Every structure is written in structure tokens, then in C-alpha cells.
Amino acid sequence: MTLAIETSCDDTSVAVVEKGVANGSTIARLHFHKKVTSNNTVFQGVHPLFTLKSHQENLATLVAEAIEQLPTYGGVPLVGVHHMQAHALTPRLVSALNANNASTEEAHVKGAPLADGTGAVAPAFPAISVLASGGHTILIRSNSLTDHAILGSTDDIAVGECLDKVARVVLPAEELQTAKSTMYGALLETFAFSQLAKRPAAPEHKRELSGLTAHEHQAMHGSIHGWYTPPTNNEIAIERAKTRWGWSINQPLTKTGGGNKINTMDMSFSGLMTAVERLVRYPTDATTGKMSKQPRSSTDVSLEERRDMALGVMRAAFEHIASRVILALQKATSDIEADQKLPAVVMSGGVASNTFLRHVLASTLCAHGFGDVELFFPPPKYCTDNAAMIGWTGIEMFEAGHVDQLHIRAIRKWPLNELLTPVDDGKM
């Protein structure tokens, strides 16, 4: 049984996680899992000092509650966990929770102690993961619990930061003022698709999002964004990006602007943010496609055009990410034997809860001949920062023989591909 603490950004989260085995499968229980998010809405972004105050006010209380769920024993080991490693392993936690028939909607699952041991858990290694959040966007190949090769990363800002900043420009002022959190990327998705007809919820047995092949995911969930068809090349993508307003928002690092990086797995998102800022500030002639040099008032931008901007940015960003996953799978295809199975694809981190991103990724895999690749999308509550994923990763690391000394401290920058050999950067 593991006590886990997660305080990476504006969330203060504590969990008690138990791992065991039953019928040959690895199972897990959450005995306690609570999270307090610092209310930074007045700042329209995360304020470091205000967030620190929230951590200080809430962490001890949550830990005190969690300790009541722990048995009393001495010699408790300490395991330091890499935040992004935990995101990469989150689908394994969800798989174990599901195997225990535990509801991932409940914070407290009661039952007898689990039997010790290790069984099957999905996804198995190797796996290809996109870790997309407000602070990171990296594409990795996880060969084992501790071997994570970075295939590509963003050259500038993370996709989550891009979406948050675009939302502050595109969303109507009244929506920003009444927002109950600073998760503006989620608000951007809701705003972009607010005019789509609501569809009935999928049957209970069709709500599963992890462990399905791309084909199965589309068969079960494809109707949500059935209007979307992934482009099979950059020329088609450019054509489909055109709007009735005369402007278009294209994928970053393509033939028109990415130079040699079009064939790498690196990513870039700052250009999308800059493009939207210009589109809001300067009107575009719908006939000629030329942008005026005369600025316009933000009140002159209609709701319809704002929604198209929101959709255009998400479409370009998500197709950009999906194109990098295709490159990773193509490389994996050339590296494996004919009878070997391609690695599963994991999408984790806060941005992974975006339904449109999941659809773009699954449909793109199908369009490029990777429809049989398994996809793992954690439930939204486990996509964002949480202590449950920290607890699970700590358990897996401890069982693999990794224990830390009590004098360890947080490392400001800890490359995931140097997991076992972190460098102290000297930053406090």
C-alpha cells in the first residue's frame, strides 16, 4: 500500500494506492484519492506564489486524511517519481483498477487486502506515448519501466500552453470572466463545438477508451466527430484548413514552413498562437485572403469566426501531433520482425482528455494503415495531474528495486531519458 503526493503545478493531490494480483492479472485499488486545485481564475493563469500558498494550506490536511487509510508499520521506504513517467504509466494504473472491477469514478474503494504478486497489465512494453500537457509535449518510446527514449518534443511551448493562450484571445470576454478554473484549453474545446447537435451517450459497454484498436475506437466513438476526415498528405491538409473568412491555420513544421523538420518527430506550437493573435487583431479579406494592415476591435470578431479559430487551432495542433505518431509507428514497423506486434499508442497528460484530439489520432492511424494498433486513453480524471498515478508508478518502481534516500529533493529539470541518472541542476 502506497501513500502518494502530487504537487507539480496548481493541484494538491494525495492518494493511497494498493497493488496486487488476482486470476493472473495485476489489480489495483484506490483507498483514498483527493485533489484540491488552487483557484487562479482572478489571474487568468497559474500564479506561483498563490499556488504555493494553496499547497501549504491543503497538503497537510489531505495527508492526515490519507494516513487514516494506512496500516501501521515501520521502515517505510521512499520512492521519488518522475512526473512524466507517471503520466506514461497511467494507462497501466487504469488497467489494474478495471481488472479489480473498481469504479474509476469512486475515490474510495473498500475490500480485503489484495494478494501480493505481479500479473499481466496493459499496455505492455514497448509502447509509444504522447505526453501532452500545459508544461510538456513529448513523444516517447517506453521500452521498459525505466527505459524511455525521447523521439520528439516541442521546440517552443507545449500544446496545452498554446491552447490556453489561444483561449484567452478567442473566447468571448464574458466566458473568461465567468470561468470557474484556469483550464482554458477545455473551455476552448467546449466553445468550438458548442453548436454541434448533442448526441446520446454511448451505451455503458461502449464507453471504454483504453485497449481498443484504432478501428474499434472509431467504430464505437467515431460518430462524435463524424464530420472530420483526416488528411493523408500536407496538400490536402492545407486545402481543408481554408475557411469562409479568407484565412487558414495550417500545421506547424510542414513543407511550407518547417524545412527539414517535416520528417522529424519534433513539434512546435508557438506559431499557432501567434497566428490567432494576428487573425483576431487584423481582419482578412474573404475573397483575396489578404490580411488588412488596419487593426479591428475585438468586438468586431463574430462568435462564428471565433469558433472557427478555436477549431482551426485544435485541428492544426492535433494533426501535427498525429503526424508525429505516424512517423514513430513507421519507424517501429521497420524495426520489428514480420510476426511481431506494433507497440500500443498511449495518449496521456491533461490535453489527452480532449475528445477531438482522441478522434484525430484514431482516425489518422486508420487512414495510414495502422488501424490495428491499440490505443490507450486514460479517463479525463487521470489525464490531469493526480496522486494516483504517482502512487502507482512508485509501486512499480519499488517492486523493480528502486528506493531513494530521505535526503532527495525535487529536480527542476529531469530528462525522462535519464530517469536513473538524474542530474542535480542546482535550482531551488
Side-chain angles (χ1 to χ4, degrees):
M1 197 174 291
T2 298
L3 171 68
I5 298 172
E6 200 283 331
T7 57
S8 63
C9 190
D10 56 343
D11 295 318
T12 306
S13 183
V14 176
V16 175
V17 187
E18 183 182 8
K19 178 175 176 284
V21 64
N23 301 319
S25 295
T26 296
I27 60 177
R29 284 183 185 152
L30 275 178
H31 292 269
F32 180 89
H33 189 206
K34 285 188 178 181
K35 177 166 67 175
V36 176
T37 301
S38 174
N39 186 353
N40 287 270
T41 52
V42 66
F43 307 108
Q44 293 193 359
V46 178
H47 190 291
L49 294 180
F50 191 82
T51 299
L52 174 61
K53 182 173 181 289
S54 177
H55 288 320
Q56 293 171 333
E57 291 176 346
N58 294 293
L59 182 57
T61 301
L62 292 179
V63 169
E65 288 186 59
I67 286 176
E68 296 180 3
Q69 309 298 323
L70 292 171
T72 302
Y73 56 90
V76 179
L78 175 66
V79 179
V81 171
H82 192 295
H83 181 71
M84 299 311 291
Q85 180 198 19
H87 274 302
L89 299 184
T90 296
R92 292 167 65 88
L93 163 66
V94 175
S95 174
L97 288 171
N98 289 340
N100 187 48
N101 294 321
S103 170
T104 54
E105 299 302 320
E106 297 178 7
H108 189 160
V109 181
K110 296 181 179 179
L114 300 179
D116 291 335
T118 299
V121 61
F125 299 113
I128 293 172
S129 300
V130 178
L131 309 180
S133 67
H136 303 82
T137 305
I138 58 176
L139 177 64
I140 66 172
R141 178 186 170 96
S142 298
N143 298 307
S144 70
L145 178 65
T146 57
D147 180 6
H148 304 277
I150 298 177
L151 304 178
S153 62
T154 176
D155 287 341
D156 36 64
I157 63 174
V159 63
E161 181 180 353
C162 170
L163 297 179
D164 284 349
K165 289 183 175 179
V166 166
R168 292 176 196 150
V169 175
V170 169
L171 291 178
E174 56 271 20
E175 293 207 21
L176 288 173
Q177 292 168 359
T178 58
K180 296 181 180 180
S181 77
T182 55
M183 296 179 65
Y184 297 124
L187 293 178
L188 190 72
E189 179 188 10
T190 300
F191 176 72
F193 299 111
S194 60
Q195 297 304 299
L196 291 182
K198 291 187 177 180
R199 295 176 174 83
E204 195 65 35
H205 69 283
K206 289 190 174 183
R207 293 182 184 175
E208 181 59 50
L209 293 175
S210 288
L212 301 175
T213 67
H215 280 312
E216 291 169 340
H217 183 278
Q218 289 305 93
M220 291 185 179
H221 306 282
S223 62
I224 298 175
H225 292 292
W227 56 271
Y228 174 82
T229 303
T232 52
N233 58 54
N234 187 53
E235 288 71 24
I236 295 176
I238 291 174
E239 184 63 29
R240 290 180 181 172
K242 295 178 180 178
T243 67
R244 54 180 165 160
W245 313 102
W247 50 258
S248 58
I249 301 175
N250 296 310
Q251 292 182 41
L253 304 184
T254 59
K255 290 180 181 178
T256 56
N260 294 331
K261 290 190 176 181
I262 186 173
N263 292 319
T264 74
M265 288 178 248
D266 286 330
M267 293 166 277
S268 173
F269 300 98
S270 63
L272 296 176
M273 180 185 67
T274 302
V276 171
E277 289 174 341
R278 286 176 56 81
L279 290 176
V280 170
R281 183 169 176 77
Y282 300 100
T284 303
D285 188 290
T287 303
T288 65
K290 292 184 178 180
M291 181 175 286
S292 172
K293 295 182 180 180
Q294 298 299 318
R296 59 177 169 176
S297 169
S298 61
T299 57
D300 292 334
V301 187
S302 67
L303 282 177
E304 291 78 9
E305 187 174 5
R306 289 177 182 272
R307 287 194 182 94
D308 284 347
M309 289 178 185
L311 175 58
V313 166
M314 287 191 293
R315 183 174 188 159
F318 298 163
E319 288 178 352
H320 183 45
I321 291 172
S323 71
R324 272 43 190 167
V325 175
I326 294 299
L327 290 175
L329 287 171
Q330 289 172 342
K331 184 179 186 305
T333 301
S334 64
D335 292 341
I336 64 174
E337 301 295 333
D339 59 342
Q340 287 183 301
K341 185 179 179 181
L342 280 170
V345 171
V346 170
M347 176 66 69
S348 194
V351 182
S353 60
N354 188 298
T355 303
F356 185 44
L357 170 57
R358 298 177 180 205
H359 181 88
V360 169
L361 180 59
S363 60
T364 300
L365 262 60
C366 292
H368 286 81
F370 294 109
D372 292 331
V373 170
E374 287 184 319
L375 296 174
F376 287 83
F377 300 124
K381 67 181 292 184
Y382 295 123
C383 286
T384 54
D385 297 339
N386 65 88
M389 69 178 189
I390 300 296
W392 173 264
T393 304
I395 292 173
E396 289 217 65
M397 290 291 285
F398 175 71
E399 290 182 340
H402 301 283
V403 178
D404 292 299
Q405 300 299 314
L406 294 179
H407 63 261
I408 66 166
R409 65 181 181 86
I411 300 174
R412 180 172 175 267
K413 290 188 177 181
W414 185 4
L416 190 55
N417 57 345
E418 299 175 11
L419 189 63
L420 299 182
T421 56
V423 177
D424 190 337
D425 61 6
K427 302 292 184 180
M428 297 297 290

